[in-house]
Amino acid sequence: DASSFPADFVDILAPSLQDGSKGSFFDDICLLANYNKKAANQLASRLTESKDGAFERRVRLDAQRPNAVDRMASLLHQAPHAAADMLDMLTISPSVHDVGLHPISSRANLWGLLYDIPMRCAYQADVVQSDGIRIPLWNFKGRVQPPWHKSLAPDIKDDMYGREYVVEVETKVLLVPNILDVDIFMALACTPQAYIDIFDRLPVQGMLYCLWDHVLMWAVRARMALDLVDLTIQAVWGLQYMDSALPWCIVAAGLLRDMFKMMW
């Protein structure tokens, strides 16, 4: 605090920026966020705009360490804009196993039942090592297409071309393993209004859509099915006399379930 060095430019003193340093960019940004958020944002922007391949490789390696998700969650809490910049930097095109036989389509069918979906997401473990970095792989090993390829990029039939839901797309991957972590989404849920624009970023939207499509949607459907059972039993019970313990058991189970969720 007694230093005369301008606080807004303290990011240039980050140890990870110095020649020959093996320090962690994530650790430095988190440390700066505790002291000066503007400096943390400037360091993240400096890395994003840098054309230095060595910096880029170190950031990617840093993002794949065992505690990377925890540090990203901490950064989302402390400096959301800096975290969003780092996520942008870690968003790249996937590696393709066989471009000639099984390329990634540049067009996608985004049809939805009620409205066209904005994106399709997958959460898979297919990767290839490149310079020590695990890069998500569009695999075609043994000339066998993994089942999840069809759900991410459904086949486009001839009569679909020209439809408004068949659009040009670009496939991107995020180089942060296990990003669908509860700490990440707790941090996003606590985002202040001043930083709400981070939800415009592609990696943030991708995480949210992936969580909804692969985790939350099934939980919501299960809850709706249970609510429908409760409603049906209560309607039948109210319209006619039922000399059975079954309605009491179902209603009591629903009550216990709701009480447990309230206490949780």
Side-chain angles (χ1 to χ4, degrees):
D1 292 339
S3 173
S4 60
F5 192 88
D8 290 346
F9 298 99
V10 74
D11 60 288
I12 65 176
L13 301 179
S16 54
L17 286 178
Q18 310 312 312
D19 292 338
S21 171
K22 295 183 179 179
S24 167
F25 289 112
F26 283 93
D27 289 344
D28 286 350
I29 294 175
C30 288
L31 182 62
L32 282 172
N34 286 327
Y35 174 66
N36 187 299
K37 286 187 178 182
K38 184 176 180 181
N41 291 336
Q42 288 179 171
L43 177 55
S45 297
R46 190 186 302 275
L47 294 173
T48 304
E49 296 167 4
S50 173
K51 303 301 181 182
D52 191 328
F55 278 174
E56 186 177 79
R57 179 177 181 275
R58 283 175 54 200
V59 169
R60 293 176 178 179
L61 286 171
D62 204 18
Q64 296 189 349
R65 292 181 180 178
N67 61 339
V69 171
D70 293 334
R71 289 183 297 168
M72 183 61 73
S74 176
L75 191 55
L76 281 167
H77 272 297
Q78 296 173 304
H81 283 153
D85 285 341
M86 297 301 286
L87 287 171
D88 282 339
M89 188 176 183
L90 294 166
T91 302
I92 66 170
S93 298
S95 177
V96 181
H97 183 261
D98 195 324
V99 178
L101 292 177
H102 189 50
I104 301 178
S105 176
S106 61
R107 298 180 66 82
N109 173 11
L110 299 181
W111 180 86
L113 181 60
L114 300 178
Y115 52 85
D116 295 344
I117 58 178
M119 67 174 67
R120 292 186 184 276
C121 302
Y123 192 57
Q124 300 295 328
D126 292 348
V127 296
V128 61
Q129 288 277 353
S130 177
D131 196 22
I133 302 168
R134 287 169 290 171
I135 299 177
L137 175 67
W138 186 255
N139 198 6
F140 196 53
K141 188 175 182 180
R143 298 192 176 185
V144 176
Q145 178 178 345
W148 65 268
H149 284 197
K150 288 188 176 181
S151 61
L152 180 65
D155 295 333
I156 302 176
K157 299 179 181 178
D158 292 339
D159 60 350
M160 290 182 178
Y161 286 98
R163 302 290 178 90
E164 63 277 4
Y165 51 78
V166 177
V167 297
E168 296 284 343
V169 295
E170 188 175 2
T171 303
K172 294 292 184 180
V173 295
L174 186 59
L175 299 179
V176 185
N178 304 315
I179 194 64
L180 296 190
D181 186 272
V182 64
D183 291 332
I184 294 288
F185 294 102
M186 286 292 291
L188 290 173
C190 298
T191 302
Q193 187 67 30
Y195 302 102
I196 204 72
D197 58 321
I198 69 169
F199 290 96
D200 293 333
R201 305 292 187 94
L202 177 63
V204 176
Q205 290 186 4
M207 289 188 294
L208 294 173
Y209 278 109
C210 195
L211 181 71
W212 171 256
D213 289 343
H214 299 286
V215 181
L216 296 183
M217 182 181 292
W218 298 104
V220 170
R221 287 175 177 174
R223 177 57 192 267
M224 290 178 65
L226 291 174
D227 288 343
L228 183 61
V229 171
D230 289 345
L231 180 61
T232 302
I233 290 296
Q234 292 176 29
V236 173
W237 197 10
L239 292 174
Q240 63 183 29
Y241 176 73
M242 297 180 63
D243 187 15
S244 171
L246 179 63
W248 285 104
C249 293
I250 295 177
V251 171
L255 178 62
L256 291 174
R257 181 191 67 224
D258 291 340
M259 289 177 61
F260 177 77
K261 292 182 67 174
M262 290 176 65
M263 291 185 294
W264 180 264

